[in-house]
């Protein structure tokens, strides 16, 4: 209500962009940083112990790839999460930051050391030419591995807290937020995932930097890394179950919607089957690598890679969706309305206190325009009008293309949080329900998408009634 | 009072987030200025150095002047490191500004939304081009490839020169919420306040700082780049730094004169003028070194850095003083409005606490179902008439269905489950439904 709305109609209001950026970030960070650093350090150490120049050279080449990707797309998508949440959910990120400042501050310090270390590690690799220097260089790799894991550990605290705020609501204390119930299982799950996919990434990269099936460098990598993949897979499944069991009950009720959208709720069981397939393929590849490494061709590794990407994207998506309707569980809804405000706003009206709206009260003349503002405030953080996840399409699915019944729609708004538990209650008064319905009926016929403050500017009410 | 009211009428007065700041606001503002200066130092080193790299490489493309090409490569190697530091060091000030200027900063971000999000791909591309430029230096050294190489470097530099506009537009726009109503997108945001002089100031500082950095970097070894002595390089870089700093004495006053009056205070002048005087001293020192004998070049380098840092700190503090003054009216209004809102809310919640959760009547509970079930015609679900026929004398059946609806009618959508209402409420609903449904 207090921030101009950046809004993209065709992209479900635009939140999708946060999701995409966050997914790319995680998909780079987990395998290439958290997972690969310890494995590459291990390779370097082994090469040093056993005088295997070939392995050292291979580790350096793979580190080059990691270095390039993490310091460009990796770092920028990390920053991108900040940049995108600040336009799509300023109230959410602003509130989280006030609670989690020290966590993020600590994460920043760790992040600085991580970036300095990866640059130092890669850029001094060739200069470490004596055993003494090499030992130091390896130590650098170990510290880097620890730091990148710590970065993840701190961020997971924030994510975990968003889903299940633990005791935070009573005490509002930072430590409570850090020890929220989902923290440990999520961290464990991500660690196992990072190692599993990191191993696969190093394995895959090895194919590009080595030639020949019986190449001793390649055999070494495949033999070791298939074991790592297998072990991490077992842990991944264990931690996945632990995580699932901890997800609070009411969120579980939502997870059919979470994993896919409501249309596909019935496909939930199918999703589980596919999840099983992912684990199965990882298992087969790992077993193959352990027993018959030469039989596994390069392209075969692409299958688990894509499945891994798919699995993680879904994991993130499920996490995002299961959180609905909250940004901060039991405190702040996804549309920026606090739980303790709802009754008040239902009584007084949401427009009366909003900052960036044209009208403060609904009249018969301004009904449609006021309804548009209500839509922007109450629905636009999750829905578009005519685009992806559009309300017009949603109501069409409910009432058919032309027989929209204004009274029934108004009734729906009154109990929308009951009908769909992933939606917040309607945060406005009766007149505003009517206005929203009028706006929706209008939009159904005109099909003109709404635009956000970035392309239309802001409008302020004529007089500021306080 | 009247003036205040008219200003406020054009200025959005949002309400602040009701959560307390994690640290005192003053401390956060001090941190903001300090962290920001560290960040902008590395940004300067990235932007300024990549500009110089492009120029050196261009100079080095003629036969007999290859040493400039080598100089460009040696300098380019620092850009790839400094650009990463610029990004990580940017998080700290971002955290602080998000906290202390939540409403103004996020508001500006949203108003320039597309450009703001474009930062991510633009910076990523600039970084990738920088790496390509650095790592292909040897293999793209000759013939047509050299042109490609030059173009790669120039493209990265061009991006580095454009991206700061987005940040500047935001940092500028947040200062003038009274102008927000006129802003439609990024380009119109550039017309608020004085973005262009500010950019010029930034660009000159980038060139000056990168040159100073070059003067330090290439001094560490006796023959840092083949074809140059370290004295030659230091002299050149001091010269460039002096030229850029001299230009600041035009850009600086221009910046000050074009600032909107709203934030100009005596305090601002009290900070800016001594800093500018110190800047003049730095300039004279640089010129002296540039002109003087080789034997003098090794001395007083640290002093130049110290002087420069103090000047930059002065300018940063001046900026901050301006920001505080420009936002003072709005900040006071925000505090007042937020407090009034929270009080009204608390009063309401207090007085409605007793009758807060009146046990909902079966009729109210049934409204949930009413959104989809009408008495005698199809809405989303089948009419109540039909339901009452199927479940006559069987309310428990309705409860069971509502908790886990099946899929019965092929031409109807799926009914959502209502298990979260609980058995008791569902039973009330079912009884009500059966009692009131038309027969």
């Amino acid at each position: 209500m207090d921030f101009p709305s950046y809004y993209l109609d065709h992209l479900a209001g635009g939140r999708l962009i946060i999701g995409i950026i966050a997914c790319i970030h995680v998909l780079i960070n987990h395998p290439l940083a958290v997972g690969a650093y310890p494995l590459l350090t291990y390779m370097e150490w082994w090469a040093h112990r056993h005088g295997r120049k070939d392995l050292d050279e291979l580790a350096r080449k793979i580190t080059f790839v990691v270095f390039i990707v993490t310091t460009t797309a990796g770092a920028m998508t990390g920053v991108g999460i900040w940049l995108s949440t600040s336009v799509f959910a300023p109230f959410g990120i602003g509130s989280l930051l006030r609670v989690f400042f020290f966590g993020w501050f600590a994460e920043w310090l760790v992040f600085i050391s991580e970036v300095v270390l990866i640059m130092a590690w890669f850029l001094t690799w060739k200069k470490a030419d004596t055993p003494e220097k090499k030992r130091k260089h390896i130590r650098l790799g170990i510290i880097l591995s620890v730091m990148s894991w710590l970065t993840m550990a701190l961020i997971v605290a924030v994510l975990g807290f968003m889903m299940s705020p633990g005791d935070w609501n009573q005490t509002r204390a930072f430590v409570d937020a850090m020890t929220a119930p989902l923290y440990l299982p999520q961290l464990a799950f991500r660690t196992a995932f990072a190692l599993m996919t990191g191993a696969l990434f190093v394995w895959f990269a090895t194919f590009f930097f080595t030639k020949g099936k019986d190449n001793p460098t390649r055999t070494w990598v495949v033999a070791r890394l298939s074991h790592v993949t297998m072990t991490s897979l077992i842990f991944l499944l264990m931690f996945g179950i632990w995580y699932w069991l901890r997800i609070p009950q009411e969120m579980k009720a939502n997870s059919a919607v979470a994993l896919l959208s409501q249309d596909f709720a019935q496909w939930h069981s199918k999703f589980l089957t596919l999840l099983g397939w992912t684990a199965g393929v990882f298992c087969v590849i790992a077993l193959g690598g352990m027993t018959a490494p030469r039989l596994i061709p390069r392209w075969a590794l692409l299958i688990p890679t894509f499945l891994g990407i798919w699995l993680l994207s879904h994991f993130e998506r499920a996490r995002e969706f299961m959180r609905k309707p909250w940004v901060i569980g039991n405190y702040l809804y996804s549309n920026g309305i606090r739980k303790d405000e709802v009754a008040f706003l239902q009584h007084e009206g949401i427009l009366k206190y909003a900052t960036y709206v044209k009208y403060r009260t609904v009249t018969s003349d301004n009904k449609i325009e006021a309804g548009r503002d209500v839509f922007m405030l109450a629905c636009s953080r999750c829905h578009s009008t005519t685009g992806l996840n559009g309300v017009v399409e949603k109501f069409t699915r409910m009432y058919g293309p032309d027989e929209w019944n204004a009274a029934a729609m108004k009734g729906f708004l009154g109990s929308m949080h009951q009908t769909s538990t992933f939606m917040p209650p309607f945060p406005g008064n009766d007149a505003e329900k009517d206005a929203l319905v009028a706006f929706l009926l209008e939009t159904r016929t005109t099909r003109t998408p709404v635009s956000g403050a970035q392309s239309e500017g802001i409008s302020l009410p004529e007089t500021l009634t306080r | 009072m009247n003036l205040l009211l008219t200003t406020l009428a054009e200025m959005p007065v949002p309400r602040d987030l009701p959560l307390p700041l994690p640290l005192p606001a003053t401390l956060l503002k001090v941190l903001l200025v300090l962290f920001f200066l560290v960040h902008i130092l590395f940004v300067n080193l990235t932007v300024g150095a990549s500009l110089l790299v492009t120029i050196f490489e261009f100079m080095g493309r003629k036969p007999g002047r290859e040493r400039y090409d080598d100089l460009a490569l040696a300098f380019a190697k620092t850009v790839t490191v400094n650009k990463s530091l610029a990004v990580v060091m940017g998080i700290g000030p971002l955290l602080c500004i998000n906290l202390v200027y939540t409403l103004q900063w996020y508001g500006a971000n949203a108003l320039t939304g597309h450009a703001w999000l474009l930062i991510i791909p633009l910076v990523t591309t600039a970084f990738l081009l920088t790496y390509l430029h650095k790592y292909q230096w040897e293999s793209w050294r000759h013939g047509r490839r050299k042109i490609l190489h030059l173009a790669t470097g120039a493209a990265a530099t061009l991006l580095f020169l454009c991206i700061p506009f987005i940040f500047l537009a935001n940092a500028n726009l947040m200062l003038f919420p009274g102008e927000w109503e006129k802003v439609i997108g990024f380009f119109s945001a550039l017309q608020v306040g004085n973005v262009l002089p500010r950019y010029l100031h930034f660009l000159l500082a980038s060139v000056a700082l990168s040159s100073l950095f070059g003067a330090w970097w290439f001094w560490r070894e006796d023959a840092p780049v083949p074809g140059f002595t370290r004295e030659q390089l230091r002299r050149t870089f001091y010269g460039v730094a002096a030229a850029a700093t001299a230009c600041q004495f035009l850009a600086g006053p221009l910046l000050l004169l074009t600032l909107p009056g709203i934030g100009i205070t005596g305090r601002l002048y009290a900070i800016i003028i001594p800093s500018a005087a110190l800047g003049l001293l730095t300039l004279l020192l640089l010129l002296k070194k540039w002109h003087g004998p080789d034997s003098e070049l090794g001395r007083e380098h640290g002093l130049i850095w110290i002087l420069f840092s103090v000047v930059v700190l002065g300018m940063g503090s001046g900026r901050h003083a301006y920001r505080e003054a420009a936002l003072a009216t709005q900040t006071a209004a925000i505090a007042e409005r937020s407090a009034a809102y929270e009080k009204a809310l608390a009063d309401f919640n207090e007085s409605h606490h007793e009758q807060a959760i009146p046990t909902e009547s079966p009729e109210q509970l049934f409204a949930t179902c009413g959104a989809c079930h009408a008495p005698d015609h199809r809405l989303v679900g089948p009419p109540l008439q039909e339901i009452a026929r199927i479940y006559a004398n069987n309310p428990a059946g309705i409860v069971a269905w509502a908790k886990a609806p099946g899929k019965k009618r092929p031409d109807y959508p799926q009914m959502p489950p209502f298990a979260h209402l609980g058995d008791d409420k569902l039973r009330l609903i079912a009884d009500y439904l059966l009692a009131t449904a038309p027969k």
Side-chain angles (χ1 to χ4, degrees):
Chain A
M1 281 195 282
D2 297 292
F3 300 92
S5 297
Y6 179 79
Y7 173 82
L8 300 169
D9 200 69
H10 36 287
L11 287 175
R15 281 180 64 89
L16 198 62
I17 291 187
I18 308 184
I20 293 171
I21 294 174
C23 266
I24 297 177
H25 182 68
V26 167
L27 283 169
I28 291 175
N29 172 274
H30 285 12
L32 267 68
V34 181
Y37 292 150
L39 297 172
L40 291 166
T41 311
Y42 165 69
M43 274 170 78
E44 192 194 7
W45 171 80
W46 177 280
H48 176 62
R49 271 292 289 277
H50 299 85
R52 289 282 298 269
K53 275 258 167 294
D54 58 326
L55 282 176
D56 187 74
E57 188 52 20
L58 176 65
R60 192 186 64 80
K61 283 178 177 159
I62 299 178
T63 305
F64 176 66
V65 177
V66 170
F67 168 73
I68 295 287
V69 177
T70 52
T71 57
T72 56
M76 282 318 293
T77 45
V79 176
I81 298 177
W82 286 104
L83 302 188
S84 56
T85 42
S86 71
V87 288
F88 292 121
F91 42 80
I93 195 71
S95 302
L96 281 170
L97 194 52
R98 290 181 184 208
V99 182
F100 268 102
F101 175 71
F102 294 103
W104 266 316
F105 190 76
E107 199 241 340
W108 178 45
L109 300 181
V110 181
F111 182 40
I112 295 175
S113 64
E114 196 189 327
V115 169
V116 170
L117 283 164
I118 176 68
M119 292 196 295
W121 196 43
F122 175 69
L123 296 171
T124 62
W125 198 300
K126 280 186 176 165
K127 292 183 189 137
D129 45 9
T130 65
E132 183 49 36
K133 282 189 190 162
K134 194 73 188 164
R135 264 195 296 278
K136 279 208 183 119
H137 190 256
I138 294 170
R139 216 169 300 144
L140 216 55
I142 298 174
I143 304 174
L144 171 62
S145 309
V146 173
M147 286 301 173
S148 70
W149 184 82
L150 268 182
T151 314
M152 180 177 80
L154 286 167
I155 270 304
V156 168
V158 180
L159 297 179
F161 157 76
M162 280 157 67
M163 265 182 80
S164 159
D167 293 332
W168 178 79
N169 256 317
Q170 279 74 49
T171 57
R172 302 267 146 100
F174 173 67
V175 181
D176 292 334
M178 282 300 240
T179 52
L182 277 175
Y183 179 60
L184 282 180
Q186 200 185 150
L187 182 59
F189 179 83
R190 282 175 193 271
T191 307
F193 182 87
L195 270 178
M196 180 172 90
T197 49
L200 206 71
F201 160 72
V202 174
W203 184 350
F204 188 62
T206 301
F207 277 103
F208 287 90
F209 293 120
T210 57
K211 290 209 166 64
K213 277 201 168 159
D214 291 310
N215 183 311
T217 320
R218 192 185 283 188
T219 330
W220 186 94
V221 170
V222 173
R224 297 293 185 299
L225 293 189
S226 51
H227 281 85
V228 175
T229 311
M230 194 65 193
T231 320
S232 328
L233 175 63
I234 295 168
F235 279 107
L236 182 84
L237 287 175
M238 267 164 48
F239 294 146
I241 293 168
W242 182 22
Y243 179 75
W244 185 254
L245 291 175
R246 278 281 182 95
I247 296 180
Q249 214 52 40
E250 78 270 21
M251 293 196 174
K252 237 183 197 174
N254 256 353
S255 66
V257 187
L259 296 178
L260 298 160
S261 73
Q262 203 180 12
D263 303 288
F264 297 109
Q266 56 269 53
W267 299 104
H268 184 203
S269 57
K270 219 173 200 173
F271 170 77
L272 281 180
T273 326
L274 283 167
L275 195 70
W277 275 102
T278 317
V281 170
F282 268 92
C283 187
V284 168
I285 291 281
L287 279 176
M290 284 153 78
T291 53
R294 280 186 299 144
L295 291 183
I296 303 216
R298 182 192 303 196
W299 59 263
L301 291 179
L302 287 176
I303 305 173
T305 304
F306 285 123
L307 282 173
I309 290 176
W310 180 78
L311 175 71
L312 195 69
S313 313
H314 262 284
F315 174 73
E316 298 293 337
R317 192 165 135 78
R319 193 176 47 69
E320 272 296 309
F321 260 79
M322 273 187 280
R323 215 176 68 210
K324 284 195 171 132
W326 305 105
V327 177
I328 302 180
N330 251 323
Y331 171 73
L332 188 69
Y333 287 112
S334 297
N335 51 7
I337 309 288
R338 273 138 56 200
K339 184 183 176 184
D340 70 348
E341 283 177 311
V342 171
F344 181 61
L345 295 178
Q346 284 173 344
H347 189 264
E348 302 275 308
I350 191 171
L351 296 175
K352 180 171 169 190
Y353 291 99
T355 307
Y356 298 102
V357 293
K358 208 159 184 181
Y359 303 103
R360 282 276 158 80
T361 41
V362 180
T363 63
S364 49
D365 293 334
N366 69 16
K367 227 173 169 181
I368 292 174
E369 274 181 288
R372 179 193 175 283
D373 280 337
V374 173
F375 169 81
M376 209 47 141
L377 296 172
C379 323
S380 76
R381 297 301 99 187
C382 305
H383 290 290
S384 66
T385 47
T386 55
L388 204 63
N389 205 24
V391 272
V392 170
E393 172 223 315
K394 296 285 161 213
F395 277 111
T396 304
R397 199 174 65 192
M398 286 176 68
Y399 300 121
D402 31 49
E403 278 167 55
W404 289 16
N405 175 324
M409 286 169 70
K410 193 172 167 191
F412 170 85
L413 292 178
S415 60
M416 56 187 257
H417 57 299
Q418 306 278 17
T419 312
S420 318
T421 45
F422 34 83
M423 283 202 268
F426 181 76
N429 62 22
D430 229 46
E432 289 165 348
K433 277 185 208 163
D434 287 329
L436 178 57
V437 169
F439 165 75
L440 290 169
L441 288 171
E442 171 82 6
T443 309
R444 182 193 56 168
T445 40
T446 61
R447 299 256 157 194
T448 15
V450 170
S451 14
Q454 81 281 4
S455 38
E456 202 167 68
I458 52 169
S459 41
L460 298 174
E462 295 279 287
T463 49
L464 282 174
T465 32
R466 304 261 178 104
Chain B
M1 188 60 209
N2 249 340
L3 181 71
L4 184 73
L5 276 184
T6 38
T7 344
L8 283 181
E10 292 152 15
M11 172 146 51
V13 182
R15 294 156 302 163
D16 202 358
L17 301 174
L19 295 167
L21 288 175
L23 287 173
T26 321
L27 177 57
L28 282 169
K29 288 174 184 172
V30 172
L31 290 178
L32 169 63
V33 173
L34 292 179
F35 290 162
F36 176 73
L37 290 178
V38 176
H39 163 64
I40 204 71
L41 168 72
F42 288 107
V43 173
N44 284 327
L45 292 182
T46 307
V47 175
S50 60
L51 184 63
L52 293 176
V53 166
T54 309
I55 296 173
F56 291 148
E57 195 187 354
F58 192 74
M59 287 164 67
R61 82 199 188 291
K62 293 250 169 66
R65 297 178 68 176
E66 284 86 1
R67 60 185 185 148
Y68 280 101
D69 195 73
D70 293 331
L71 175 61
L73 172 59
F75 215 21
K77 284 181 179 164
T78 68
V79 175
T80 46
V81 172
N82 285 333
K83 66 107 182 74
S84 283
L85 293 174
V87 169
V88 276
M89 299 319 287
I91 306 272
L94 191 65
L95 294 183
C96 294
I97 201 167
N98 285 358
L99 282 172
V100 275
Y101 299 107
T102 313
L103 298 163
Q104 293 88 0
W105 180 248
Y106 287 148
N109 295 168
L111 290 175
T112 59
H114 293 329
W116 181 247
L117 288 179
L118 271 178
I119 290 175
I120 306 159
L122 287 179
V123 177
T124 310
T125 312
F127 284 8
L128 286 170
L129 286 172
T130 319
Y131 279 131
L132 190 67
H133 188 235
K134 173 180 159 188
Y135 287 106
Q136 292 305 101
W137 207 291
E138 294 306 328
S139 45
W140 290 359
R141 210 182 246 290
H142 301 289
R144 283 236 200 89
R145 294 216 170 149
K146 187 62 184 173
I147 296 173
L148 180 64
H149 190 254
L150 262 165
T152 311
T157 304
L158 201 64
L159 281 173
F160 281 135
L161 288 176
C162 290
I163 295 162
F165 270 113
I166 306 179
F167 286 100
L168 279 177
N170 274 273
N172 180 67
L173 188 58
M174 70 171 276
L175 300 177
F176 311 113
E179 308 279 312
W180 284 10
E181 243 189 313
K182 298 177 201 149
V183 172
I184 297 176
F186 169 68
F187 290 103
S188 74
L190 291 178
Q191 284 149 35
V192 171
N194 62 344
V195 181
L196 276 172
R198 210 170 162 179
Y199 179 76
L200 197 63
H201 196 55
F202 158 81
L203 198 63
L204 289 169
S206 295
V207 173
L209 271 168
S210 310
S211 307
L212 202 57
F213 174 78
W216 168 70
W217 183 252
F218 294 113
W219 188 260
R220 298 166 313 141
E221 294 162 42
D222 270 341
V225 180
F228 289 105
T229 65
R230 65 177 191 170
E231 283 79 12
Q232 275 173 332
L233 286 177
R234 183 164 265 191
R235 191 182 298 280
T236 311
F237 279 120
Y238 273 164
V240 179
T245 309
C247 293
Q248 290 289 36
F249 285 90
L250 288 177
L254 180 70
L255 175 62
L256 199 60
L257 288 177
T258 51
L259 271 178
I262 185 169
I264 295 190
T265 52
R267 210 168 128 209
L268 176 67
Y269 283 112
I271 301 173
I272 293 286
I273 291 176
S275 311
L278 217 55
L280 192 62
L281 202 66
T282 322
L283 175 60
L284 293 177
L285 192 58
L286 281 170
L287 286 172
K288 190 178 134 218
K289 296 279 154 193
W290 177 61
H291 228 56
D294 274 6
S295 56
E296 281 292 305
L297 279 171
R299 297 176 41 207
E300 289 165 341
H301 183 67
L303 179 65
I304 297 181
W305 274 106
I306 293 173
L307 282 174
F308 233 101
S309 312
V310 178
V311 174
V312 169
L313 191 65
M315 297 297 164
S317 313
R319 260 273 141 220
H320 182 71
Y322 182 83
R323 181 163 54 222
E324 286 292 288
L327 290 176
T329 323
Q330 199 206 22
T331 311
I334 288 174
E336 194 189 316
R337 182 157 182 251
S338 309
Y341 177 77
E342 292 305 323
K343 174 146 190 329
L345 173 62
D347 288 349
F348 175 89
N349 282 343
E350 183 89 9
S351 64
H352 285 68
H353 196 66
E354 287 83 56
Q355 73 269 46
I357 316 154
T359 36
E360 286 167 282
S361 69
E363 191 183 345
Q364 280 166 325
L365 285 169
F366 176 75
T368 310
C369 323
C372 297
H373 295 289
D376 54 7
H377 61 274
R378 172 178 174 174
L379 209 53
V380 180
L384 300 178
Q385 207 169 17
E386 180 181 335
I387 293 178
R389 217 179 316 113
I390 303 173
Y391 291 96
N393 302 321
N394 180 13
I398 297 185
V399 173
W401 166 272
K403 275 162 69 181
K407 186 90 191 80
K408 234 181 178 178
R409 301 164 181 77
D411 56 332
Y412 281 67
Q414 171 70 38
M415 172 174 148
F418 286 90
H420 53 275
L421 288 180
D423 279 20
D424 295 344
K425 281 186 185 168
L426 284 175
R427 180 58 188 252
L428 286 175
I429 293 175
D431 289 336
Y432 175 86
L433 190 161
L434 289 176
T436 55
K439 294 287 167 325

